[in-house]
Amino acid sequence: GPYLDSLPSPENVTKITAALVPYGKAENPTVDVYLVLPQDIGKHGLGQFLMGCNRVGRPHDLHLNYMANPNEWNFAKDRTTLVTRNLLAEGIVQKLTVPCLTWVDVFEQYGVRSVDQLKLDTEGMDAELIEDLLVTTAIRPRFITFETVHHDEEVLESAIDCLRANYYSVHVTD
């Protein structure tokens, strides 16, 4: 995709256009990814923050309720009074279909034997993917960094418990 193509391509790095899914959710061979293309952000005068607002399986919240200053959403007492745009309905949001891969698929297909640092930002599936990694594979990254927002509290606590059970030191920051 366009965002992956824009990242640097250092030696010994393989870019994969796919959706990483937990083992138990790998029943579908493909999934849709919703995004706003970089050129459309400029063309429609949208905020650059939309480059980080892509989502697997369904449109991102800001695709459906776009506002120039998304902090308004976080601090609004009554969100029904906010003026938003539905970028999906406006035809600005693109949908790409990509293959679904599990950790096991990735590690086997690309010959991964170890991971030094793993960093995830999946808009809500990070904790589930971390726990799935630790349950379904023998790979134990030295360092794991992931986003804790957009998570159900039980799922997040379960992932943290799993990390601790695998001898990780857990540090939560804002």
Side-chain angles (χ1 to χ4, degrees):
Y3 291 105
L4 186 62
D5 294 342
S6 70
L7 293 173
S9 298
E11 206 173 302
N12 297 322
V13 170
T14 301
K15 296 179 184 179
I16 304 169
T17 301
L20 185 61
V21 296
Y23 184 78
K25 293 188 177 181
E27 63 274 355
N28 296 322
T30 63
V31 68
D32 294 328
V33 176
Y34 294 83
L35 67 148
V36 177
L37 297 173
Q39 62 267 27
D40 288 338
I41 290 171
K43 177 180 171 184
H44 296 281
L46 303 171
Q48 293 296 309
F49 60 85
L50 271 179
M51 286 192 201
C53 298
N54 309 310
R55 182 167 272 157
V56 174
R58 63 186 169 94
H60 190 281
D61 295 342
L62 287 172
H63 293 162
L64 304 174
N65 295 292
Y66 173 81
M67 57 189 90
N69 180 359
N71 286 329
E72 290 179 50
W73 184 265
N74 296 329
F75 299 113
K77 291 183 181 168
D78 181 6
R79 291 180 175 164
T80 62
T81 64
L82 296 174
V83 177
T84 64
R85 291 172 59 186
N86 185 328
L87 302 179
L88 183 67
E90 291 180 35
I92 297 171
V93 177
Q94 304 297 314
K95 181 174 74 169
L96 303 176
T97 301
V98 300
C100 292
L101 299 176
T102 65
W103 291 111
V104 172
D105 296 332
V106 171
F107 295 165
E108 286 179 358
Q109 288 177 28
Y110 295 93
V112 176
R113 290 179 189 75
S114 66
V115 174
D116 186 51
Q117 182 167 355
L118 173 67
K119 183 174 182 180
L120 294 176
D121 182 352
T122 65
E123 300 300 311
M125 196 177 278
D126 309 62
E128 192 173 353
L129 284 168
I130 297 284
E131 188 166 356
D132 187 65
L133 168 72
L134 299 174
V135 169
T136 63
T137 77
I139 301 276
R140 296 296 178 265
R142 263 186 33 180
F143 300 99
I144 300 175
T145 305
F146 65 102
E147 189 176 57
T148 59
V149 297
H150 311 299
H151 285 84
D152 175 73
E153 194 64 34
E154 274 184 41
V155 173
L156 183 57
E157 286 301 318
S158 180
I160 290 171
D161 290 345
C162 191
L163 283 163
R164 288 185 174 130
N166 281 273
Y167 307 104
Y168 283 93
S169 175
V170 177
H171 305 279
V172 179
T173 61
D174 291 333

